[in-house]
Amino acid sequence: MRPQEFQHRASDNGPVYAGRAQAHRRTLGRIAIHALALASLVAATGASALDLSSISNGDAASAVRVALQRGADAAVSQLGRPGGFLGNGKWEIPLPDPLRKTEKLLRFAGQGKQLDALKASMNRAAEAAVPQAKVLLAQAVKSMRVSDAKAILTGGPDSVTRFFRSKTENSLRDRFKPIVAKQVSTLGVARQYDALAGQGSKFGLIKSDAATMDGYVTGKAIDALYAMIGEQERALRQDPIGTGSKLLGKVFGALR
């Protein structure tokens, strides 16, 4: 092949070689980016494990106990008082669905005052019942083992709430329900609801826990209590230093 022909063919293939080289460089760049990302992930995971492993069992258990008790106390004190439910836009317990769906019709029929009285009674009943949770939640905190503490620390943003629910839900229901029943059972509209909802639950139209007014209010009060504890837990995990506790800052800060 003559030199002139070789040079001509090389110049013809130049764009091809250049394109391949550019694609090759892009591929290497992507590989490098993925490698760096993987290295960063491994480093972060290792650091988290190292930080957590540096926490003694005693510190872990003590910090979780403090966190549990703070969350429980805050929830009980905020909900278990006048205005904790009634008039509180966030936590006020609404009328059960069957009544809400027919509320306009009932008010048109002159039942407005009875509905307002029922709603007030429901929420005041919840406020009166919630303080009963203090002792049960405290007992749950005392029963916590080191293995529970480790599970709570690494169990995700709602592990405190799940721990309390697993330890106290049935007992809370037993404590709350008589208090709620005493408050709402005197109202005629509540008795009418129980009669109608009881029939509806037999046909699967209404959930069993909402088949009575006291059961409905009790369930809502318990859900609100755990939801409030969950808010306290999320705030602690997001800013453990802001709690003002060196122990909480040390232990929960190691998870960040």
Side-chain angles (χ1 to χ4, degrees):
M1 182 182 297
R2 295 189 185 92
Q4 293 85 352
E5 292 180 5
F6 178 79
Q7 290 176 358
H8 180 68
R9 291 187 179 183
S11 64
D12 288 344
N13 291 329
V16 176
Y17 295 145
R20 289 177 179 174
Q22 188 176 9
H24 183 61
R25 284 194 296 272
R26 285 199 298 267
T27 301
L28 290 176
R30 285 195 295 269
I31 292 173
I33 291 171
H34 289 310
L36 286 171
L38 180 61
S40 299
L41 178 61
V42 171
T45 304
S48 176
L50 179 62
D51 288 342
L52 186 59
S53 66
S54 69
I55 303 298
S56 69
N57 286 341
D59 280 350
S62 295
V64 172
R65 282 195 180 93
V66 171
L68 289 171
Q69 197 63 60
R70 282 192 177 197
D73 289 347
V76 171
S77 65
Q78 291 182 49
L79 294 175
R81 59 179 178 82
F85 285 91
L86 185 61
N88 186 323
K90 186 173 185 179
W91 301 113
E92 186 172 79
I93 299 174
L95 293 169
D97 282 345
L99 289 180
R100 274 194 293 167
K101 291 176 180 177
T102 59
E103 183 174 359
K104 288 184 179 180
L105 180 61
L106 290 170
R107 289 187 180 278
F108 183 77
Q111 297 290 312
K113 288 184 178 180
Q114 290 88 335
L115 291 176
D116 292 339
L118 174 60
K119 190 173 183 179
S121 180
M122 287 163 44
N123 284 277
R124 291 194 181 109
E127 293 164 1
V130 163
Q132 296 294 314
K134 189 169 185 176
V135 173
L136 295 175
L137 295 174
Q139 290 174 349
V141 173
K142 290 180 180 179
S143 73
M144 189 198 70
R145 299 168 295 181
V146 171
S147 58
D148 294 324
K150 290 287 189 179
I152 288 170
L153 282 172
T154 59
D158 65 340
S159 55
V160 167
T161 310
R162 285 187 280 109
F163 171 80
F164 272 134
R165 190 178 281 276
S166 69
K167 296 289 184 179
T168 64
E169 185 170 15
N170 291 334
S171 298
L172 286 176
R173 199 173 299 279
D174 292 340
R175 289 283 187 94
F176 282 18
K177 201 168 184 179
I179 297 172
V180 172
K182 184 178 179 180
Q183 186 98 12
V184 302
S185 62
T186 59
L187 299 177
V189 68
R191 293 195 296 270
Q192 293 171 13
Y193 172 83
D194 287 352
L196 294 174
Q199 291 296 319
S201 67
K202 293 179 181 179
F203 298 98
L205 301 176
I206 296 175
K207 294 181 180 179
S208 59
D209 58 354
T212 62
M213 186 61 67
D214 57 353
Y216 168 77
V217 175
T218 295
K220 290 295 186 181
I222 291 173
D223 287 345
L225 180 68
Y226 290 136
M228 175 74 80
I229 291 173
E231 287 190 352
Q232 299 295 318
E233 178 181 5
R234 286 190 292 275
L236 166 62
R237 290 182 182 275
Q238 289 170 7
D239 184 19
I241 303 299
T243 62
S245 166
K246 290 183 179 180
L247 180 61
L248 293 178
K250 174 185 176 182
V251 174
F252 283 89
L255 301 174
R256 291 178 61 78

